[in-house]
Amino acid sequence: MEETTQDSNKVTKWVPQGRTFRGGGGGRVHPPLHDHGHGQTTSSYQYHYQHHQQQQQPRYFRHHHNPFQNSNGVGFFGQNQHLQGNPPLLPLPFPPPVPMIPFQVSSAVFFHQSTQNQSLRSKTHFHGPSWKKNTHPVPSSSSDRKIAAALEVYEEGVQLKLMPANVESRGSDINPQALVVARRPDRGGVEGRVISLLANHYCVQFNPSQRIFHYDVEILPSPSKEVARLIKRKLVEDDSESLSDACPAYDGRRNLYSPIEFRDDNLEFFISLPIHTTKSPLEVCDLVGVNHQKVKLFRVNIKLVSKLDAKDLNNYLSTEGLDKWVPLPQDYLHALDVVLRESPTEKCIQVGRSLYSSSMGGGVELGGGAIGLRGFFQSLRPTQQGLALNVDLSATAFHESIGIISYLQKKVEFLHDLPRRKTSSLNSDERKEVEKVLKNVRVFVSHRHAVQRYRVQGLTQEATEDLWFKDRDGTKLRLVDYFKDQYNHVIQFRNLPCLQISMSKPCYLPMELCMICEGQKFLGKLSDDQTAKLLKMGCQRPRERRAIIDGVVNGPFGPMSSDQVKEFKLEISREMTRLKGRILQPPKLKLGEGGLKMDLAPSRLDCQWNLYGSHVVEGTRIERWALISFGGTPSQKSNIPRFIHQLASKCDQMGIFLDKSTTICTQFEPIQVLNNVSLLESKLKKIQKMADGKLQLLLCLMEKKHKGYGDLKRIAETRVGLVSQCCLHSNLGKLSSQFLVNLALKINAKVGGSTVALYNSLPSQIPRTLRHDEPIIFMGADVTHPHPLDDFSPSVAAVVGSVNWPSSNKYVSRIRSQTHRQEIIQDLGEMVVEILVDFMQEVTKLPKMIIFFRDGVSETQFYKVLKEELQSIRNACTKFPGYKPLITFAVVQKRHHTRLFPDENDPNCKLFANDNVPPGTIVDTVITHPREFDFYLCSHWGAKGTSRPAHYHVLWDESGFTSDEFQKLVYSLCFTFVRCTKPISIVPPAYYAHLAAYRGRLYLDRPESVARGTATAVSRAGPPKAAPLPKISENVKKLMFYC
């Protein structure tokens, strides 16, 4: 076999042995690269590797194709036969490039921003011209006219109309050049008792004089990631002289990093590897045939991209000149991250930024065809102590490597007895369910020695016994006869469909001859039982978790097991980072006036309190309510009168009035009613009509958890106008006091009450920044996205806002659907306007300050979210003439991997040395950002596992908070959550936004068949326009119905 190279017209013979050839000189002409408009390359690395160079990016930074998407039916290494110990895992689909705007501003602009935290209250960064009352343009659309006409509010007796929606203030535009993330206003907070802690950050020392040479690697034909690493390994072994005897680090894609410069800037090699292949005698598909082993030749082009200098990173981490804006040298940081991941990646299964191995505790069967594997997360971060490697324990679910038939037995309920029903076929609904379970799963065949892996695209419409195909001669063959004649295998499950493994041509695989490949992340939705087992795998107490993490870092899979660490002159600490934290004092709480105690100060270590002998701060009167039971045994139904009596008595003890008699008699319906949407709606409307349309609450008892729960909530809150509370019949058997208290708190909150308030209001706690006569609104926002396998459904955004001051414990919400997987909130401005109107109606004036907590944003999205959503908030404020509040914009992160452990040698940690850190533990030094305003706050008590502190990152602050002020504000708010009597893990506005967004997802009434039917076409053409959510009833929308 021959191949013509492009550097000359001569023909190079393939050599069967695994030898390495070096190509000709530097005059080689590169094959043209096709640019499909993706722009420059960005990796999955959390800092989004990107060059900050003024010159144009070279073309080899553009992914002109996806080198990780192998065609169906073609593979290099098979199940259980991977070469040289590589994990048997096909790479996950590579995410599309995400452009990131670098933080580039002039020094003058930075000075403008750097003074924001020290500014006086009257100052603002937005000095735009005021509105002119005589220049209001006419609204251009009917919706604008409705908004302008309907949203009328009153302030101090003066009627105030909102500006039309199409009017914008020129002064409200935020100059993107001026957007610099807020700097830390001081050297950190000082309030609280100091304690010694350890954090799972391992200090990484690098040589400031060490240069790193970055090379672009192009391999043709494009291999899988595993094969690319084999090629790199063979290249280093066979032609180290050309690489100057270096030990480079490779990311398996296009980036190769070396501590020394190669002999030439342009290198070309030919690498031959033995690859198992199969030549098929069938025309329709390469799925059966005789095995062959041949040598496959790869052309490797290596070209110098840049010479990276460590000085920029050293300057960024330096404590000198913190008032100067310095860009993060992401290119050098990314290079070091690749170096530290080189060895773990070769030994473990990589899923995102985590690595998994069966050697770390073995696989745990989760049931339903899933197994759980333990692994570890690893990420390089810039911190105040310098570079730090964040390592944490992780666990995730993988598909169990078993036969398809056995897998379906475990996974699909109606196929548990599949071996005994070989002659049974699948009806239409059953076939759709099986197809949903198997789609996108990778399999290999077991009837012959083969290494190909195939991705299941769907199922055949016909049963296996009805499938025919044509061979190369055009002869029509029956599939079951072919396998009997060719392999002496009699197909047993003839009435089941075959797996379809190609989207473009008929490629069939009988189910019973297919095995699921190892190392595939389980992308399906886990059941409650599976989730509980998986959580238990990663639920270690602090001392145990700390020992496991230390073992990973210093073990055979850790970053220090790599030869590259020494080559690049890196030194990694073998111990966790020691640092000082502080424990903030819990706030004093205000209770209702009718109880024995009207205030309390949480004194327990876990900061929990109870309402024994006390009333909620604001109890409601529920005089008209009803109860409906879905299913339940006669014994369970007999518990209902006792339940009603005890619930009403408990409410009375807590200062909540719940009439002991329902407005209408208890309604009993079979559980099957929840399966019928129209019937369910008619039943709820009937109940509302029987109560003259004045029900305050509908209590729903269910026999078991049911998928109709979402329909019940949607119909009640959007079609009927009912606030509902659901609970299971099983909880009524042994009514505990705690269950009744929790139920009463949720009911009270949903109908307009509140649990506690701060005894010392926020203005009295933070007098320098907050004032009683200048109200503040706390807002929270979150976006929830559909399941990873769903490429059709819209995302759901929710924004909540407090509407009482200074208590700030009641919130209204706005929920919108938006483009599929769109993280930026598209209708944020409109939602903020509506919430501000609600605030003004309750407080009679607009807030002087907006404190906005944004949930669900990763570090790579900080700039984009700040740039677009801050502008949306500003534009919303311009709808009110002359209104320019101070805005503080903070991101709340829970999905991070920083953990805090008590230092057992510290006397101050004696009470919790073997437990989690107590509520109020705060860290804003050493492991936090070297320049920006962030901190870790563990505001809750971790009863199980190891507590995860919330990470707050203030991106914008016009209010001038000090570290102590903002930390105290956040911690105090965590005590005001309405559903429990303990501080929660994240600030309530963010928590409420999360709950509201989840409620909005329940409103998406989209049949599964519609969502799946055109998924492929939709994904190719782009996500569809999001259908709007149903409108929430007027008598429900201002209540906290989502709690």
Side-chain angles (χ1 to χ4, degrees):
M1 192 172 291
E2 299 176 340
E3 181 186 43
T4 303
T5 59
Q6 291 192 1
D7 60 337
S8 66
N9 293 324
K10 65 181 180 180
V11 175
T12 303
K13 298 283 187 178
W14 274 18
V15 179
Q17 293 81 9
R19 297 173 56 193
T20 304
F21 297 90
R22 184 180 174 197
R28 182 179 62 83
V29 179
H30 286 273
L33 301 183
H34 303 286
D35 184 11
H36 296 305
H38 296 311
Q40 68 186 49
T41 301
T42 53
S43 74
S44 60
Y45 178 65
Q46 71 179 49
Y47 297 102
H48 276 231
Y49 164 63
Q50 178 177 353
H51 287 284
H52 296 290
Q53 297 177 345
Q54 298 300 323
Q55 65 267 30
Q56 184 178 2
Q57 297 288 354
R59 62 178 181 177
Y60 37 79
F61 268 122
R62 301 185 180 128
H63 281 304
H64 56 285
H65 57 79
N66 188 341
F68 316 111
Q69 291 179 348
N70 298 333
S71 60
N72 291 311
V74 178
F76 297 118
F77 299 101
Q79 179 69 16
N80 301 327
Q81 293 184 357
H82 50 283
L83 297 185
Q84 303 185 28
N86 272 13
L89 169 72
L90 281 178
L92 295 176
F94 186 67
V98 181
M100 186 180 105
I101 304 175
F103 289 63
Q104 294 181 347
V105 296
S106 64
S107 58
V109 173
F110 170 74
F111 176 80
H112 167 75
Q113 172 70 11
S114 65
T115 59
Q116 63 178 330
N117 291 317
Q118 289 76 31
S119 60
L120 297 177
R121 289 181 44 80
S122 60
K123 292 185 179 180
T124 177
H125 291 297
F126 302 94
H127 304 285
S130 302
W131 284 95
K132 296 181 180 180
K133 297 182 180 180
N134 58 351
T135 58
H136 292 176
V138 179
S140 60
S141 66
S142 60
S143 61
D144 291 342
R145 287 191 292 270
K146 290 178 181 178
I147 293 176
L151 299 181
E152 296 185 356
V153 292
Y154 292 83
E155 182 177 13
E156 299 177 350
V158 179
Q159 191 178 43
L160 177 66
K161 287 192 175 183
L162 293 178
M163 302 302 296
N166 64 328
V167 181
E168 294 186 1
S169 169
R170 296 179 181 177
S172 68
D173 291 336
I174 298 174
N175 181 5
Q177 291 285 330
L179 282 180
V180 177
V181 173
R183 296 294 178 261
R184 195 177 304 279
D186 42 45
R187 294 184 176 274
V190 295
E191 293 188 9
R193 178 164 54 95
V194 177
I195 59 172
S196 298
L197 301 171
L198 291 96
N200 57 338
H201 288 219
Y202 295 81
C203 188
V204 178
Q205 300 289 342
F206 64 96
N207 190 337
S209 62
Q210 175 66 55
R211 302 183 76 185
I212 295 180
F213 299 89
H214 178 203
Y215 292 88
D216 175 65
V217 179
E218 182 183 42
I219 304 177
L220 296 174
S222 298
S224 66
K225 200 170 184 179
E226 291 91 342
V227 175
R229 292 188 181 279
L230 288 177
I231 293 172
K232 175 259 180 182
R233 187 187 308 168
K234 188 168 183 57
L235 179 62
V236 173
E237 292 173 354
D238 294 356
D239 210 332
S240 59
E241 183 179 352
S242 300
L243 304 181
S244 302
D245 294 321
C247 187
Y250 180 47
D251 68 352
R253 298 167 181 152
R254 297 290 297 256
N255 300 301
L256 184 74
Y257 299 97
S258 173
I260 56 178
E261 191 170 6
F262 296 159
R263 291 195 172 183
D264 293 320
D265 292 346
N266 293 277
L267 297 172
E268 182 176 78
F269 303 92
F270 290 94
I271 307 294
S272 56
L273 287 177
I275 303 294
H276 293 275
T277 62
T278 299
K279 291 188 176 180
S280 172
L282 299 181
E283 183 69 23
V284 291
C285 182
D286 181 24
L287 68 111
V288 292
V290 181
N291 289 309
H292 296 270
Q293 179 171 338
K294 72 175 184 179
V295 174
K296 189 174 182 68
L297 186 66
F298 297 92
R299 185 174 65 185
V300 182
N301 300 319
I302 300 177
K303 186 174 182 179
L304 180 65
V305 174
S306 60
K307 301 176 182 179
L308 308 178
D309 200 327
K311 293 181 180 178
D312 292 338
L313 180 58
N314 193 54
N315 292 337
Y316 183 86
L317 298 172
S318 174
T319 58
E320 299 179 1
L322 291 179
D323 57 338
K324 296 180 180 179
W325 182 84
V326 179
L328 175 64
Q330 295 172 339
D331 45 8
Y332 198 92
L333 199 61
H334 175 74
L336 295 183
D337 184 72
V338 172
V339 171
L340 294 174
R341 298 179 72 85
E342 175 84 3
S343 178
T345 302
E346 291 184 351
K347 302 172 184 177
C348 301
I349 300 172
Q350 183 174 1
V351 179
R353 299 202 57 77
S354 295
L355 300 112
Y356 298 89
S357 172
S358 58
S359 301
M360 294 185 62
V364 176
E365 187 169 349
L366 304 179
I371 60 171
L373 285 183
R374 285 195 180 96
F376 64 96
F377 169 90
Q378 175 180 313
S379 174
L380 191 63
R381 304 179 59 82
T383 66
Q384 292 187 36
Q385 67 172 332
L387 283 185
L389 190 65
N390 180 204
V391 181
D392 188 30
L393 181 66
S394 62
T396 196
F398 289 83
H399 288 289
E400 190 175 0
S401 183
I402 55 178
I404 289 291
I405 298 298
S406 300
Y407 180 79
L408 291 177
Q409 281 183 262
K410 294 184 175 184
K411 178 68 175 174
V412 184
E413 185 175 356
F414 59 80
L415 294 180
H416 285 346
D417 59 344
L418 186 56
R420 295 194 298 271
R421 48 177 285 189
K422 293 182 179 179
T423 58
S424 302
S425 58
L426 301 179
N427 60 38
S428 177
D429 291 338
E430 291 175 339
R431 182 188 166 279
K432 290 178 181 178
E433 180 66 23
V434 172
E435 185 175 55
K436 179 183 177 182
V437 167
L438 295 178
K439 193 168 185 180
N440 293 316
V441 174
R442 297 185 183 94
V443 299
F444 67 97
V445 294
S446 60
H447 66 283
R448 59 185 172 84
H449 179 73
V451 295
Q452 287 96 336
R453 301 182 218 182
Y454 310 94
R455 185 188 296 273
V456 178
Q457 300 295 337
L459 301 181
T460 59
Q461 294 291 336
E462 303 88 351
T464 302
E465 64 178 357
D466 298 327
L467 288 173
W468 295 72
F469 65 90
K470 292 182 180 180
D471 64 8
R472 293 185 176 180
D473 298 331
T475 304
K476 200 171 184 180
L477 301 176
R478 191 181 183 206
L479 192 68
V480 293
D481 295 337
Y482 177 84
F483 278 93
K484 178 65 172 66
D485 298 339
Q486 187 76 15
Y487 297 101
N488 195 29
H489 180 85
V490 179
I491 301 296
Q492 300 294 316
F493 297 87
R494 297 185 170 212
N495 291 319
L496 293 180
C498 276
L499 304 182
Q500 172 64 271
I501 59 172
S502 174
M503 298 173 60
S504 59
K505 56 184 178 180
C507 295
Y508 311 136
L509 289 178
M511 287 188 184
E512 64 194 76
L513 299 180
C514 295
M515 299 280 293
I516 295 179
C517 298
E518 286 181 338
Q520 295 183 79
K521 188 177 186 299
F522 192 90
L523 296 179
K525 186 177 182 180
L526 295 175
S527 66
D528 292 342
D529 184 56
Q530 289 174 319
T531 301
K533 291 179 180 178
L534 188 62
L535 290 175
K536 188 176 181 180
M537 290 183 63
C539 188
Q540 286 76 26
R541 296 299 289 171
R543 180 177 293 179
E544 182 184 358
R545 192 183 195 96
R546 175 183 164 187
I548 294 175
I549 295 173
D550 280 335
V552 167
V553 173
N554 297 283
F557 302 109
M560 287 189 287
S561 62
S562 172
D563 295 333
Q564 281 83 0
V565 172
K566 294 181 180 178
E567 288 278 338
F568 286 82
K569 300 180 181 179
L570 298 177
E571 294 182 6
I572 306 174
S573 173
R574 294 184 176 272
E575 295 183 350
M576 290 188 178
T577 297
R578 296 182 179 273
L579 68 154
K580 297 294 184 181
R582 295 173 289 116
I583 302 178
L584 301 182
Q585 188 72 17
K588 191 176 182 180
L589 302 177
K590 180 181 179 181
L591 301 175
E593 296 181 356
L596 299 178
K597 293 188 299 183
M598 290 181 287
D599 61 78
L600 64 88
S603 57
R604 291 173 35 170
L605 180 64
D606 58 10
C607 287
Q608 297 186 26
W609 68 93
N610 62 63
L611 292 173
Y612 181 77
S614 304
H615 286 184
V616 295
V617 69
E618 184 178 352
T620 54
R621 291 188 60 84
I622 306 173
E623 300 173 340
R624 301 184 63 82
W625 69 286
L627 188 147
I628 184 171
S629 171
F630 295 99
T633 65
S635 175
Q636 290 176 329
K637 293 177 182 178
S638 66
N639 292 326
I640 293 179
R642 180 173 62 91
F643 164 68
I644 293 176
H645 175 76
Q646 292 192 17
L647 178 62
S649 298
K650 179 60 68 175
C651 287
D652 184 63
Q653 294 173 15
M654 299 168 58
I656 306 167
F657 176 79
L658 177 68
D659 199 312
K660 294 185 178 182
S661 300
T662 56
T663 303
I664 61 175
C665 61
T666 300
Q667 305 293 300
F668 294 96
E669 300 291 344
I671 191 72
Q672 289 77 15
V673 170
L674 294 173
N675 293 324
N676 190 322
V677 175
S678 59
L679 180 60
L680 177 61
E681 183 173 343
S682 66
K683 296 290 184 182
L684 297 183
K685 286 184 176 179
K686 179 182 176 182
I687 292 175
Q688 179 74 302
K689 184 177 180 181
M690 293 171 62
D692 298 328
K694 298 179 181 180
L695 276 186
Q696 296 171 271
L697 173 71
L698 177 64
L699 193 57
C700 305
L701 302 180
M702 294 184 177
E703 178 183 332
K704 60 181 179 181
K705 291 184 178 180
H706 196 280
K707 62 181 180 180
Y709 170 84
D711 292 324
L712 172 64
K713 291 295 183 180
R714 175 177 54 82
I715 294 170
E717 294 160 3
T718 66
R719 303 295 298 272
V720 185
L722 283 176
V723 173
S724 60
Q725 175 61 52
C726 299
C727 60
L728 297 176
H729 268 293
S730 57
N731 292 324
L732 273 57
K734 296 181 180 180
L735 287 172
S736 68
S737 177
Q738 190 61 54
F739 170 76
L740 292 173
V741 168
N742 292 341
L743 189 61
L745 290 179
K746 292 189 68 174
I747 291 174
N748 184 56
K750 287 184 176 184
V751 296
S754 55
T755 304
V756 296
L758 298 175
Y759 186 84
N760 298 313
S761 64
L762 290 174
S764 62
Q765 293 187 53
I766 313 173
R768 189 189 70 88
T769 310
L770 310 181
R771 297 178 184 174
H772 283 278
D773 58 346
E774 294 184 353
I776 293 175
I777 186 172
F778 296 100
M779 288 188 174
D782 191 20
V783 179
T784 177
H785 302 292
H787 190 271
L789 294 181
D790 185 342
D791 57 0
F792 184 88
S793 300
S795 296
V796 176
V799 180
V800 302
S802 60
V803 290
N804 59 337
W805 173 257
S807 297
S808 299
N809 56 5
K810 290 185 178 181
Y811 289 77
V812 294
S813 65
R814 293 297 184 271
I815 312 172
R816 301 284 194 277
S817 62
Q818 60 184 42
T819 305
H820 176 78
R821 301 207 182 283
Q822 171 68 42
E823 182 59 42
I824 302 299
I825 301 177
Q826 295 173 336
D827 295 334
L828 178 60
E830 181 181 341
M831 291 190 278
V832 169
V833 167
E834 295 177 10
I835 291 175
L836 288 175
V837 170
D838 288 342
F839 183 93
M840 181 178 289
Q841 290 175 345
E842 296 293 330
V843 185
T844 70
K845 61 172 65 174
L846 286 168
K848 299 297 183 181
M849 188 183 300
I850 297 176
I851 300 179
F852 194 91
F853 294 96
R854 181 66 157 88
D855 192 11
V857 179
S858 65
E859 292 172 345
T860 58
Q861 299 170 314
F862 277 4
Y863 185 81
K864 184 175 178 62
V865 168
L866 177 63
K867 174 177 174 289
E868 299 191 25
E869 295 189 358
L870 180 60
Q871 181 67 55
S872 295
I873 297 172
R874 273 294 172 199
N875 288 341
C877 295
T878 62
K879 302 301 184 293
F880 303 87
Y883 180 53
K884 294 182 180 179
L886 301 174
I887 298 176
T888 297
F889 193 108
V891 169
V892 187
Q893 292 177 306
K894 282 291 287 183
R895 294 184 179 181
H896 62 83
H897 291 269
T898 295
R899 300 292 185 273
L900 302 174
F901 304 92
D903 188 345
E904 300 168 359
N905 299 321
D906 184 359
N908 290 332
C909 298
K910 185 177 180 180
L911 290 177
F912 49 89
N914 298 324
D915 290 313
N916 281 299
V917 295
T921 300
I922 198 158
V923 172
D924 58 1
T925 60
V926 185
I927 61 172
T928 51
H929 196 281
R931 297 167 180 270
E932 296 171 5
F933 189 4
D934 71 324
F935 59 90
Y936 293 93
L937 170 62
C938 189
S939 53
H940 68 295
W941 174 254
K944 295 182 179 180
T946 304
S947 297
R948 182 189 341 227
H951 185 210
Y952 295 88
H953 205 124
V954 181
L955 301 186
W956 191 263
D957 181 26
E958 298 172 357
S959 309
F961 284 107
T962 65
S963 294
D964 279 326
E965 289 174 340
F966 195 74
Q967 292 163 7
K968 180 187 293 186
L969 181 147
V970 169
Y971 186 48
S972 296
L973 287 177
C974 289
F975 283 79
T976 64
F977 191 62
V978 293
R979 292 198 335 191
C980 57
T981 55
K982 59 184 178 182
I984 58 172
S985 59
I986 61 174
V987 69
Y991 202 140
Y992 293 142
H994 174 77
L995 294 175
Y998 175 75
R999 178 58 53 85
R1001 181 147 303 282
L1002 292 180
Y1003 291 170
L1004 293 174
D1005 184 20
R1006 192 178 305 279
E1008 292 183 357
S1009 58
V1010 175
R1012 292 197 312 266
T1014 57
T1016 302
V1018 169
S1019 61
R1020 289 179 177 178
K1025 184 178 180 180
L1029 296 177
K1031 186 178 180 181
I1032 300 174
S1033 298
E1034 288 297 323
N1035 57 331
V1036 174
K1037 65 184 298 184
K1038 289 190 177 183
L1039 299 173
M1040 299 176 68
F1041 60 91
Y1042 46 84
C1043 289

